[in-house]
Amino acid sequence: MAAGEQHFYVGTDVGGTFTDCVVIDEHGRIVISKAPSTPPRFEEGLFRALEAAAAQLGVDSRELLARSRLFAHGCTVATNALINQKGARVGLLTTKGFEDTLPLMRGSAYCQGLPVEAWYRKTQNERPFDLVPERCIVGIEERIDRCGAIVVRLDEEGVLRAADRLLNEEGCEALAIAFLWACANPLHEQQARARVLARYPSACVTLSSEILPLIGEYERTSTTVLNSYLRPEVEQYVAQMDRELRARGLRAPLYVMQANGGLVPAPDAAARAVTMLQSGPTGGVLAAKIVGELVGSEKIITGDMGGTSFDISLVVGGEVQYQRRSFHQRHVVAAPMVDIQSIGAGGGSMAVVRNGRIRVGPQSAGADPGPVCYGKGGTQPTVTDANLVLGYLNPSFFLGGALQLDRGAAERAIARRIAEPLGCSVLEAAAGIHRIVNAHMADAIRYHVLARGYDLRDFDLFLFGGATGVHAVGIGTELGVRSIVIPLAGLATVLSAFGIANSDVLRVLVASLPTPFPPADPAAVAAVYERLEAAGRAELEGEGFGEDQIAIERWASLRYHLQLTEVDVPVPDGTIDGHALEEIAQRFDARYAELYGAGTGFQEAGRDLIAETVRVRGRTPKGKLSRDDGMPPSPASARKGSRKAFFPLCGLVETPLYDGDALRAGSLVGGPAVLEMIGTTVLVPPGFRARYDAYRNIYLEAAR
């Protein structure tokens, strides 16, 4: 870049319905843009969003890309491939005698993997689809014991025979190799891959010892197979996106957002495709953490409502929360990920009448055809249609006027599909849809928070995403949270993209060799952490990060003896000595008590150290959020007029409309009111008010 050129930091998030873009310049100026997503050619929607952002900056998209110091990308390609069952045909090589590990699953997996909606409705308790046909699972003669010693040497000719059959006869597009004790010694998996690639150099091969070197053969095998299932699709997507961006002027590295809370270079993303599940929503959680640090909020519930789903997570003590096991389409993934729970509740969630009741979601109209009011051929009413009919949305200012909504079509669809079968008015039917989806989201939040041992009353509720603003008060009042916040006002609709733009490069390295805790040899435990730290540092230094840009966190996974569920706790900085081990034990006991209740009997059983985790973070350049300490303009200066809106306790009310983007820090707007912004709309019901703070976070409070 030429000297004196202005630099930009770009974050993009390709969702199922919309593609979001945030560009931050060196002075803290932020511009946002949105465009409809364009499956299957998602890059088209991305470039439309980039062009819109570039126009606001007074440059063209090529110049924007050329001046970018950071280009970070989140996407739904892995999630979509799994949801639509469009992954690769996978062959699995496993230790002979353990071919049934994957088909048998865990006894509780059916229940644990159920979406939150199904817990309440007691439905969908059937087996998930198979990632690998049983005839594509091949047992290989080999055996390594739990200490890593070779008991039976690898049958290398058997590996080649299996590869020949799977790749040639069965048409497998990817191979997963998951041997029983590869977590203790990866040698046999490495030898098997070498033999396969010697004969099939372009084969897509994933090793469990590289994806997840942890004990638990089912979880490790499931995660490895799922990575193989997603990898070809992700690899093709990332390569295509990188080519297109380079052709249009990008010079900086392309980074891809991962569900572990960090970025990886594009060439590395496909190799760990499984960690791209929940890629976009993770950015929103990271952005909420940034906002929480600005306003002094240490306990945050995040809720991200887009067109398809509602994603929930927590920030506690200023730290993003992780989970070691998560379920995606009810297949277990044991790789460390940001703890996000998703339900099918979004602006595109469809409403139907079943057994005399309104059901909302989890099915979504998506981007195509989308809600009825989009005029793209949709016939089933959605949450967005209901909000339009209720008067909460402006049909001429959706996405800042980029998309005109057809209110008449929405009214007719709700009348025919909902109101007439129930014998009620269209407004009553629309209000029912709105209230039911609010209840679904509130129930999901309640379940998520209580299951993790916390009290809802201690939390601030940060709600963002394009669809959340009109539901915020309805969700928050039902939960009884400390405050209801729409973070960063106009950025709320693209908060995930903002979080992605401000993310760091991250490597998460794990080792597993179970031992009683405290260990007989603390030096051996310390040596494992040192090895993982050195490996992570070497990777980031190879990408150009200096010593002062690298930060390291250490975590330990412990459980009480003979139990099955681990709890992760941070490891103190410095030497791992007797004092540090005692502190780890105390942290584990305290966190276990928060989750499951205290009990001295558990402690008397003893503790086991199951896994050691190191997170090595490479600090990337960051944009700045500027504080607005000027005098706020009068809300009257942002008044846009009024329209009738329906509130269940008041009926149709002539409701003032405000340009939410024109309101500044210190502005107060009493309800009923509607704040209209380029990418979202915030509803202020009667009895509430909206207050803008110094960073233009909107607090929705009971009127005084």
Side-chain angles (χ1 to χ4, degrees), residues 264-286:
V264 296
D268 299 337
R272 296 183 176 272
V274 71
T275 62
M276 287 178 63
L277 294 166
Q278 298 284 25
S279 165
T282 298
V285 182
L286 299 174

Side-chain angles (χ1 to χ4, degrees), residues 143-480:
R143 197 59 178 266
I144 289 173
D145 69 17
R146 64 187 297 274
C147 297
I150 296 174
V151 178
V152 177
R153 293 191 177 278
L154 175 69
D155 178 6
E156 297 189 23
E157 292 306 312
V159 169
L160 290 178
R161 288 193 299 271
D164 290 341
R165 182 169 72 81
L166 293 173
L167 296 175
N168 296 327
E169 299 175 21
E170 296 293 346
C172 291
E173 302 161 279
L175 295 181
I177 303 178
F179 293 151
L180 184 63
W181 280 104
C183 58
N185 182 348
L187 178 63
H188 282 178
E189 286 193 350
Q190 294 168 351
Q191 290 175 338
R193 177 174 58 185
R195 291 305 301 269
V196 171
L197 293 181
R199 181 169 292 185
Y200 301 99
S202 61
C204 177
V205 183
T206 299
L207 305 187
S208 75
S209 54
E210 294 179 350
I211 291 296
L212 189 73
L214 290 177
I215 64 166
E217 62 271 19
Y218 165 62
E219 287 81 0
R220 180 158 43 87
T221 301
S222 173
T223 305
T224 305
V225 167
L226 190 52
N227 192 82
S228 294
Y229 183 79
L230 300 172
R231 184 173 169 180
E233 181 79 10
V234 169
E235 199 165 47
Q236 180 180 2
Y237 173 89
V238 171
Q240 173 70 12
M241 189 65 70
D242 193 45
R243 283 194 301 270
E244 292 284 348
L245 287 166
R246 300 282 163 221
R248 294 174 185 246
L250 181 67
R251 303 174 191 171
L254 170 62
Y255 285 101
V256 178
M257 189 70 201
Q258 305 243 289
N260 61 18
L263 304 171
V264 296
D268 299 337
R272 296 183 176 272
V274 71
T275 62
M276 287 178 63
L277 294 166
Q278 298 284 25
S279 165
T282 298
V285 182
L286 299 174
K289 177 181 182 294
I290 294 170
V291 176
E293 290 170 350
L294 292 175
V295 302
S297 177
E298 291 205 344
K299 283 193 172 182
I300 300 168
I301 302 167
T302 70
D304 181 358
M305 185 183 184
T308 305
S309 66
F310 181 65
D311 305 309
I312 306 155
S313 192
L314 302 179
V315 178
V316 180
E319 296 296 333
V320 172
Q321 301 300 289
Y322 285 82
Q323 59 185 342
R324 190 164 294 283
R325 290 182 182 84
S326 56
F327 290 86
H328 303 268
Q329 296 299 294
R330 298 172 52 213
H331 290 288
V332 68
V333 174
M337 293 184 176
V338 174
D339 187 2
I340 297 174
Q341 175 71 54
S342 299
I343 67 168
S349 294
M350 295 188 289
V352 299
V353 173
R354 290 183 185 152
N355 300 320
R357 297 179 181 179
I358 300 175
R359 303 277 190 184
V360 182
Q363 293 78 22
S364 173
D368 188 9
V372 175
C373 60
Y374 283 14
K376 295 182 179 180
T379 58
Q380 194 67 39
T382 67
V383 171
T384 296
D385 294 308
N387 290 333
L388 179 63
V389 167
L390 291 168
Y392 303 156
L393 301 180
N394 185 341
S396 300
F397 195 68
F398 196 71
L399 291 183
L403 182 61
Q404 300 293 308
L405 303 182
D406 187 340
R407 177 170 178 165
E411 288 177 337
R412 290 189 294 274
I414 291 175
R416 185 163 69 90
R417 303 272 185 166
I418 309 296
E420 291 173 6
L422 294 177
C424 64
S425 71
V426 171
L427 284 174
E428 289 171 331
I433 294 169
H434 182 87
R435 187 169 62 251
I436 288 167
V437 77
N438 286 351
H440 284 338
M441 291 185 282
D443 281 347
I445 289 173
R446 186 179 294 110
Y447 175 91
H448 187 89
V449 174
L450 297 181
R452 285 149 183 81
Y454 298 116
D455 188 332
L456 284 159
R457 295 169 294 184
D458 296 334
F459 282 82
D460 300 306
L461 178 62
F462 282 25
L463 294 171
F464 47 91
T468 317
V470 295
H471 299 274
V473 171
I475 299 168
T477 53
E478 185 169 335
L479 293 171

Side-chain angles (χ1 to χ4, degrees), residues 481-506:
V481 291
R482 189 167 55 192
S483 67
I484 306 168
V485 185
I486 307 295
L488 303 181
L491 286 181
T493 183
V494 295
L495 204 70
S496 290
F498 174 78
I500 291 169
N502 283 278
S503 296
D504 293 320
V505 174
L506 180 66

Side-chain angles (χ1 to χ4, degrees), residues 1-7 26-27 67:
M1 298 180 189
E5 278 190 349
Q6 188 178 25
H7 299 149
E26 295 168 308
H27 307 293
R67 293 188 188 182

